[in-house]
Amino acid sequence: MPELPEVETIRRGLAEFLTGRTVVGVQVLHPRPVRGHVGGEDDFAVTLTGRTFTTPARRGKYLWFPFVDGDALVAHLRMSGQFRLDPAGAPLARHTRVTFALDDARELRFVDQRMLGGLTLSAGGAALPSEVSHIARDLFDPELDLDATVAAVRRRTAPIKSVILNQRVVSGIGNIYADEALWLARVHYGTSAAALSEQSVRRLLHQARAVMTRSLAAGGTSFDALYVNVNGSSGYFSRSLNCYGREGDPCPRCGTTIARERFGGRSSYLCPGCQPPARLA
DNA sequence: CTGTGGTCCTGTATGC
DNA sequence: TGCATACAGGACCACA
């Protein structure tokens, strides 16, 4: 469920307390989240013990935790993953899957209801894990080439929403911020990306970055307990959403009733007034 | 290569 | 009170 603003909120929360800490013990409570580790769960625990964290990093929705030895722990939260930092011995949250005891009497805990997320040790992955290298830079990345990204979007003939959700084209955008950006830019989700002008794509990406910036300032979007910060607190941005989750409400811009439509196997929220389908050419 | 749809999971809400 | 079904902030993989 977490998209860029939520993952970045978590990264910042972890950076404060994880940087410089050493792992003194690992417990794998459920094997599924470490399924990507070839050596199995026991080896995962053994090989991570004794390592010292440097500053956590992020690209799009991927997180990784570089160690001083040059390796990294790669994490993806998928739909329901969370990280929590708690005093050692504090009660475990429901669905806690892996715990890392730290040398300051705290624990880093990976919690994941649906277990679609995962943790992997990436050998030599401190700077950029190979598991992340296929992911495009995100809209917050200072090294993002915006012109090239605009061109890459317009090279696609798929519906624009599919293209901005494609993490190989531009990363970090998920279902909420895709719908919000499309609403802000007044673009219908089904419009072929190739049919949009360069200026339209530029505007759309600008709005995507803008809405994610505002969300980050609010600590991200929480609909329920499935997204919380590392200390268990919720984000406040859901109240600022213009269309996502607002089926039946009036459009804040024109008053037309917000619609929910099925697209690509998931829900899309849009204003039929502000975002009419593109005219067939 | 590009686009699409199924699949991995658990839990909750809703309808009969 | 069951029980079935739909749906959920994501990404990978097989297939046309």
Side-chain angles (χ1 to χ4, degrees):
Chain A
M1 83 262 162
E3 306 182 32
L4 189 154
E6 292 76 34
V7 178
E8 176 60 14
T9 298
I10 290 163
R11 192 199 65 80
R12 291 179 183 182
L14 293 176
E16 190 174 346
F17 296 104
L18 210 55
T19 306
R21 297 275 62 80
T22 296
V23 177
V24 299
V26 177
Q27 287 214 27
V28 179
L29 305 177
H30 197 297
R32 177 123 192 109
V34 298
R35 63 193 175 280
H37 185 76
V38 286
E41 56 182 297
D42 293 338
D43 184 67
F44 180 86
V46 169
T47 194
L48 280 159
T49 301
R51 298 183 187 249
T52 301
F53 290 107
T54 64
T55 306
R58 181 190 56 73
R59 175 180 286 191
K61 305 169 202 170
Y62 273 88
L63 272 175
W64 70 94
F65 307 97
F67 296 112
V68 295
D69 61 19
D71 295 341
L73 175 64
V74 180
H76 201 297
L77 306 175
R78 295 284 178 99
M79 296 292 268
S80 57
Q82 306 180 355
F83 278 109
R84 306 292 283 270
L85 271 168
D86 290 311
L92 293 180
R94 197 182 173 193
H95 307 303
T96 299
R97 309 302 188 188
V98 182
T99 66
F100 301 86
L102 306 173
D103 60 355
D104 64 350
R106 271 192 248 255
E107 275 186 10
L108 173 68
R109 296 165 171 179
F110 182 68
V111 179
D112 191 359
Q113 178 199 97
R114 293 174 67 182
M115 294 187 292
L116 299 175
L119 306 173
T120 316
L121 178 72
S122 179
L128 179 67
S130 59
E131 293 83 351
V132 184
S133 61
H134 65 291
I135 298 293
R137 293 185 187 275
D138 60 63
L139 294 170
F140 287 6
D141 190 326
E143 294 190 48
L144 175 79
D145 184 338
L146 189 60
D147 291 340
T149 304
V150 170
V153 169
R154 297 187 66 227
R155 226 175 283 135
R156 302 286 186 138
T157 60
I160 184 62
K161 182 172 175 180
S162 310
V163 176
I164 61 173
L165 287 174
N166 184 338
Q167 307 296 303
R168 291 171 177 266
V169 176
V170 60
S171 70
I173 301 171
N175 208 31
I176 297 177
Y177 301 108
D179 281 359
E180 291 295 311
L182 289 164
W183 181 88
L184 287 163
R186 305 181 194 232
V187 174
H188 188 276
Y189 61 80
T191 313
S192 168
L196 292 169
S197 68
E198 184 186 329
Q199 190 185 26
S200 294
V201 172
R202 204 170 286 279
R203 204 158 40 219
L204 177 61
L205 295 179
H206 171 80
Q207 292 293 1
R209 181 165 49 195
V211 68
M212 290 194 292
T213 300
R214 293 193 291 273
S215 178
L216 182 55
T221 300
S222 298
F223 294 121
D224 50 41
L226 285 188
Y227 165 68
V228 290
N229 196 352
V230 297
N231 59 14
S233 62
S234 296
Y236 297 100
F237 197 67
S238 63
R239 65 185 65 167
S240 302
L241 296 173
N242 287 298
C243 63
Y244 190 89
R246 302 208 178 280
E247 178 184 22
D249 289 357
C251 170
R253 200 163 43 203
C254 77
T256 302
T257 302
I258 298 291
R260 175 165 73 129
E261 297 178 6
R262 208 72 195 156
F263 170 71
R266 50 215 309 218
S267 291
S268 280
Y269 297 86
L270 76 161
C271 171
C274 302
Q275 300 165 266
R279 224 165 27 96
L280 291 175

